[in-house]
Amino acid sequence: MSAAHQHPSHPSSGRPRALDVVNAYVGLMKPRIIELLLLTTVPVMFLAAEGVPPLWPVLATLVGGTLSAGSANALNCVFDADIDQQMRRTRRRPLPRHAVTTRSALVFGLVLGVVSTLWLGFLVNWLSAGLALAANVFYVVGYTMLLKRRTSQNIVWGGAAGCFPALIGWTAVTDELAWPPVVLFLVVFFWTPPHFWALAIRYREDYAAADVPMLPSIAPATVVARKIVAYSYAMVATSLILWPITPTGWFYPVAAVVLGAAFIVEAHRLQARARISSELSVLKPMRLFHWSNAYLALLFVAAAIDPFLR
């Protein structure tokens, strides 16, 4: 490559550099996590509306939710930059590779938090805005700053921040809380440990090297698998409670039973493999991780479809 192409002042380098900066800020927001959060927001809006909700509240909630979650994720990147630097899974994030300065990332996260709260407050309602802000603060302060580096229960309680979209989706339509979104909140609460521990098994050596007491990095695979199975049963049982509480039609409970049974089978398979060996090639934890994403998405979509089939 010629020196001209490498020189930072070369005219053709302006656009790639600008694009790199944009991509870096987007990366701070962790868009893949946001996608999953929004996937638990919109179906609840359909359930709350008992059909198709008005388009504007859906769009406004999606934008506000994206900004709020992006704020929490960006601030998480700031406080966890030292850990991210040490872990294979995270060392390509913007801060470890110095694509964004720490100060810029901090300002970016705080501004997103303020903008998202005001956006949701004025364009949706203040209850939804307050819930989004509470989720943001809980994730940054409760999980990132207090729990993550201190206890193996970090993701159990800290993961509650990811349960708030169920509440926000409901209140965006009804402007009040009720039992159905609380049940779905608890479904996500019990879903989070199996989901994240499966991923953490894959990267347990990284967590150990970074001195983060994620359960798979400090406990035998058999112990982790046993807890995953226990939380899986609690999750499936909780998902069935929605049936009499809403009440739904026939479609949701059937979907919940089928999806839940498949999840429990996969959890038991992981437990069986853990009894044989703790080697990743035998454990294959990512099978459960990928299925957990599909399970949550399909369960919430079933909740959204159910009102149309009653």
Side-chain angles (χ1 to χ4, degrees), residues 21-42:
V21 172
V22 171
N23 287 337
Y25 279 102
V26 172
L28 286 173
M29 297 174 68
K30 303 181 185 177
R32 293 185 67 181
I33 294 177
I34 292 177
E35 289 174 8
L36 191 61
L37 294 176
L38 297 181
L39 197 57
T40 59
T41 304
V42 177

CSV table of all heavy atoms in Angstrom, one decimal, residues 21-42:
chain,number,residue,atom,x,y,z
A,21,VAL,N,-15.8,6.2,13.3
A,21,VAL,CA,-16.3,6.9,14.5
A,21,VAL,C,-17.8,6.6,14.8
A,21,VAL,O,-18.1,6.3,15.9
A,21,VAL,CB,-16.0,8.4,14.4
A,21,VAL,CG1,-16.7,9.1,15.6
A,21,VAL,CG2,-14.6,8.7,14.4
A,22,VAL,N,-18.6,6.7,13.8
A,22,VAL,CA,-20.0,6.4,13.9
A,22,VAL,C,-20.2,5.0,14.4
A,22,VAL,O,-21.0,4.7,15.3
A,22,VAL,CB,-20.8,6.7,12.6
A,22,VAL,CG1,-22.2,6.1,12.7
A,22,VAL,CG2,-20.8,8.1,12.2
A,23,ASN,N,-19.5,4.1,13.7
A,23,ASN,CA,-19.6,2.6,14.1
A,23,ASN,C,-19.1,2.4,15.5
A,23,ASN,O,-19.7,1.5,16.2
A,23,ASN,CB,-18.7,1.8,13.1
A,23,ASN,CG,-19.4,1.7,11.8
A,23,ASN,OD1,-20.6,1.8,11.6
A,23,ASN,ND2,-18.5,1.4,10.8
A,24,ALA,N,-18.1,3.2,16.0
A,24,ALA,CA,-17.6,3.0,17.3
A,24,ALA,C,-18.7,3.4,18.3
A,24,ALA,O,-18.9,2.7,19.3
A,24,ALA,CB,-16.4,3.8,17.5
A,25,TYR,N,-19.4,4.5,18.1
A,25,TYR,CA,-20.4,5.0,19.0
A,25,TYR,C,-21.6,4.0,19.0
A,25,TYR,O,-22.2,3.7,20.0
A,25,TYR,CB,-20.9,6.4,18.7
A,25,TYR,CG,-20.0,7.4,19.2
A,25,TYR,CD1,-19.0,8.1,18.4
A,25,TYR,CD2,-20.0,7.8,20.6
A,25,TYR,CE1,-18.2,9.0,18.9
A,25,TYR,CE2,-19.1,8.7,21.1
A,25,TYR,CZ,-18.2,9.3,20.3
A,25,TYR,OH,-17.4,10.3,20.8
A,26,VAL,N,-22.0,3.5,17.8
A,26,VAL,CA,-23.0,2.5,17.7
A,26,VAL,C,-22.6,1.2,18.5
A,26,VAL,O,-23.4,0.6,19.2
A,26,VAL,CB,-23.3,2.1,16.2
A,26,VAL,CG1,-24.3,0.9,16.2
A,26,VAL,CG2,-23.9,3.3,15.5
A,27,GLY,N,-21.3,0.9,18.4
A,27,GLY,CA,-20.8,-0.3,19.1
A,27,GLY,C,-20.9,-0.1,20.6
A,27,GLY,O,-21.2,-1.1,21.3
A,28,LEU,N,-20.8,1.1,21.1
A,28,LEU,CA,-20.9,1.4,22.5
A,28,LEU,C,-22.3,1.0,23.0
A,28,LEU,O,-22.5,0.6,24.1
A,28,LEU,CB,-20.6,2.8,22.9
A,28,LEU,CG,-19.2,3.3,22.8
A,28,LEU,CD1,-19.1,4.8,23.0
A,28,LEU,CD2,-18.4,2.6,23.9
A,29,MET,N,-23.3,1.2,22.1
A,29,MET,CA,-24.7,0.9,22.5
A,29,MET,C,-25.1,-0.6,22.5
A,29,MET,O,-26.1,-0.9,23.0
A,29,MET,CB,-25.6,1.7,21.5
A,29,MET,CG,-25.5,3.2,21.5
A,29,MET,SD,-26.4,4.0,20.2
A,29,MET,CE,-28.1,3.7,20.8
A,30,LYS,N,-24.2,-1.4,22.0
A,30,LYS,CA,-24.4,-2.9,21.9
A,30,LYS,C,-25.7,-3.2,21.2
A,30,LYS,O,-26.7,-3.7,21.9
A,30,LYS,CB,-24.3,-3.5,23.3
A,30,LYS,CG,-23.1,-3.2,24.1
A,30,LYS,CD,-23.1,-3.9,25.5
A,30,LYS,CE,-21.9,-3.6,26.3
A,30,LYS,NZ,-21.9,-4.2,27.6
A,31,PRO,N,-25.8,-2.9,19.9
A,31,PRO,CA,-27.1,-3.1,19.2
A,31,PRO,C,-27.7,-4.5,19.3
A,31,PRO,O,-28.9,-4.6,19.2
A,31,PRO,CB,-26.7,-2.7,17.8
A,31,PRO,CG,-25.2,-2.7,17.7
A,31,PRO,CD,-24.7,-2.4,19.1
A,32,ARG,N,-26.8,-5.5,19.3
A,32,ARG,CA,-27.4,-6.9,19.4
A,32,ARG,C,-28.2,-7.1,20.7
A,32,ARG,O,-29.2,-7.8,20.6
A,32,ARG,CB,-26.3,-7.9,19.2
A,32,ARG,CG,-25.6,-7.9,17.9
A,32,ARG,CD,-24.6,-9.0,17.7
A,32,ARG,NE,-25.2,-10.3,17.7
A,32,ARG,CZ,-24.5,-11.4,17.6
A,32,ARG,NH1,-23.2,-11.4,17.5
A,32,ARG,NH2,-25.1,-12.6,17.6
A,33,ILE,N,-27.7,-6.5,21.8
A,33,ILE,CA,-28.5,-6.7,23.0
A,33,ILE,C,-29.8,-5.9,22.9
A,33,ILE,O,-30.8,-6.3,23.4
A,33,ILE,CB,-27.6,-6.2,24.2
A,33,ILE,CG1,-26.4,-7.1,24.4
A,33,ILE,CG2,-28.5,-6.1,25.5
A,33,ILE,CD1,-25.5,-6.6,25.5
A,34,ILE,N,-29.7,-4.7,22.3
A,34,ILE,CA,-30.9,-3.8,22.2
A,34,ILE,C,-32.0,-4.6,21.3
A,34,ILE,O,-33.2,-4.5,21.6
A,34,ILE,CB,-30.5,-2.5,21.5
A,34,ILE,CG1,-29.7,-1.7,22.5
A,34,ILE,CG2,-31.8,-1.7,21.1
A,34,ILE,CD1,-29.2,-0.4,21.9
A,35,GLU,N,-31.6,-5.3,20.3
A,35,GLU,CA,-32.5,-6.0,19.5
A,35,GLU,C,-33.3,-7.0,20.3
A,35,GLU,O,-34.6,-7.1,20.2
A,35,GLU,CB,-31.8,-6.8,18.4
A,35,GLU,CG,-31.2,-5.9,17.3
A,35,GLU,CD,-30.3,-6.8,16.3
A,35,GLU,OE1,-30.3,-8.0,16.5
A,35,GLU,OE2,-29.7,-6.2,15.5
A,36,LEU,N,-32.7,-7.7,21.2
A,36,LEU,CA,-33.4,-8.6,22.1
A,36,LEU,C,-34.3,-7.9,23.0
A,36,LEU,O,-35.4,-8.4,23.3
A,36,LEU,CB,-32.3,-9.5,22.9
A,36,LEU,CG,-32.9,-10.7,23.6
A,36,LEU,CD1,-33.5,-11.7,22.6
A,36,LEU,CD2,-31.8,-11.4,24.4
A,37,LEU,N,-33.9,-6.8,23.6
A,37,LEU,CA,-34.7,-6.0,24.5
A,37,LEU,C,-36.0,-5.5,23.8
A,37,LEU,O,-37.1,-5.6,24.3
A,37,LEU,CB,-34.0,-4.8,25.1
A,37,LEU,CG,-32.8,-5.1,26.0
A,37,LEU,CD1,-32.1,-3.9,26.4
A,37,LEU,CD2,-33.3,-5.9,27.2
A,38,LEU,N,-35.8,-5.0,22.5
A,38,LEU,CA,-37.0,-4.5,21.8
A,38,LEU,C,-37.9,-5.7,21.4
A,38,LEU,O,-39.1,-5.5,21.3
A,38,LEU,CB,-36.5,-3.8,20.5
A,38,LEU,CG,-35.7,-2.5,20.8
A,38,LEU,CD1,-35.3,-1.9,19.4
A,38,LEU,CD2,-36.5,-1.5,21.7
A,39,LEU,N,-37.3,-6.9,21.2
A,39,LEU,CA,-38.1,-8.0,20.9
A,39,LEU,C,-39.0,-8.4,22.0
A,39,LEU,O,-40.0,-9.2,21.8
A,39,LEU,CB,-37.2,-9.2,20.5
A,39,LEU,CG,-37.9,-10.3,19.7
A,39,LEU,CD1,-38.6,-9.8,18.4
A,39,LEU,CD2,-36.8,-11.4,19.3
A,40,THR,N,-38.7,-8.0,23.3
A,40,THR,CA,-39.6,-8.3,24.4
A,40,THR,C,-40.5,-7.1,24.7
A,40,THR,O,-41.4,-7.2,25.6
A,40,THR,CB,-38.8,-8.6,25.6
A,40,THR,OG1,-37.9,-7.6,26.0
A,40,THR,CG2,-38.0,-9.9,25.4
A,41,THR,N,-40.3,-6.0,24.0
A,41,THR,CA,-41.1,-4.8,24.2
A,41,THR,C,-42.4,-4.8,23.3
A,41,THR,O,-43.5,-4.6,23.8
A,41,THR,CB,-40.3,-3.5,24.0
A,41,THR,OG1,-39.1,-3.5,24.8
A,41,THR,CG2,-41.1,-2.2,24.3
A,42,VAL,N,-42.1,-4.9,22.0
A,42,VAL,CA,-43.2,-4.8,21.1
A,42,VAL,C,-44.3,-5.8,21.2
A,42,VAL,O,-45.5,-5.4,21.2
A,42,VAL,CB,-42.7,-4.8,19.6
A,42,VAL,CG1,-43.8,-4.7,18.6
A,42,VAL,CG2,-41.7,-3.6,19.4
